[in-house]
Amino acid sequence: MFSERVVERYRFTCARCGEHSDDVYQVTHVTDSEGDTFSFYSHGGHPCESPAAEETMCPGCHCGPVHVGLLSRASWRSDITT
């Protein structure tokens, strides 16, 4: 089993008014012995859904849809466990 911990920075952009914001999530990607990969997200130290899975409303116009895009990914630690 392989586990990789990364920090991912996302940009949220409102399709209606164009306002955008960035936010950082901590992600653990786990690949099991069968080759399947699972991702576990946290934000501010609390478990959460993937940023792309959440229904996000624009903080400016309070409408949507809000598009989510990955800006960057930085690995801070990788583990190999058996």
Side-chain angles (χ1 to χ4, degrees):
M1 184 181 312
F2 177 76
S3 173
E4 177 185 28
R5 293 183 179 200
V6 297
V7 174
E8 294 181 346
R9 183 180 179 99
Y10 288 87
R11 171 154 292 168
F12 300 87
T13 305
C14 179
R16 183 171 184 222
C17 72
E19 184 169 324
H20 67 270
S21 62
D22 299 347
D23 214 342
V24 175
Y25 291 77
Q26 297 75 36
V27 188
T28 302
H29 300 287
V30 178
T31 303
D32 66 14
S33 59
E34 312 262 322
D36 295 319
T37 301
F38 304 90
S39 300
F40 302 93
Y41 290 79
S42 64
H43 182 260
H46 302 284
C48 65
E49 293 286 328
S50 162
E54 297 178 11
E55 290 291 325
T56 306
M57 300 301 285
C58 175
C61 69
H62 306 289
C63 292
V66 173
H67 300 289
V68 181
L70 179 64
L71 289 178
S72 65
R73 174 185 281 174
S75 178
W76 81 82
R77 192 176 101 197
S78 295
D79 299 314
I80 298 177
T81 59
T82 57

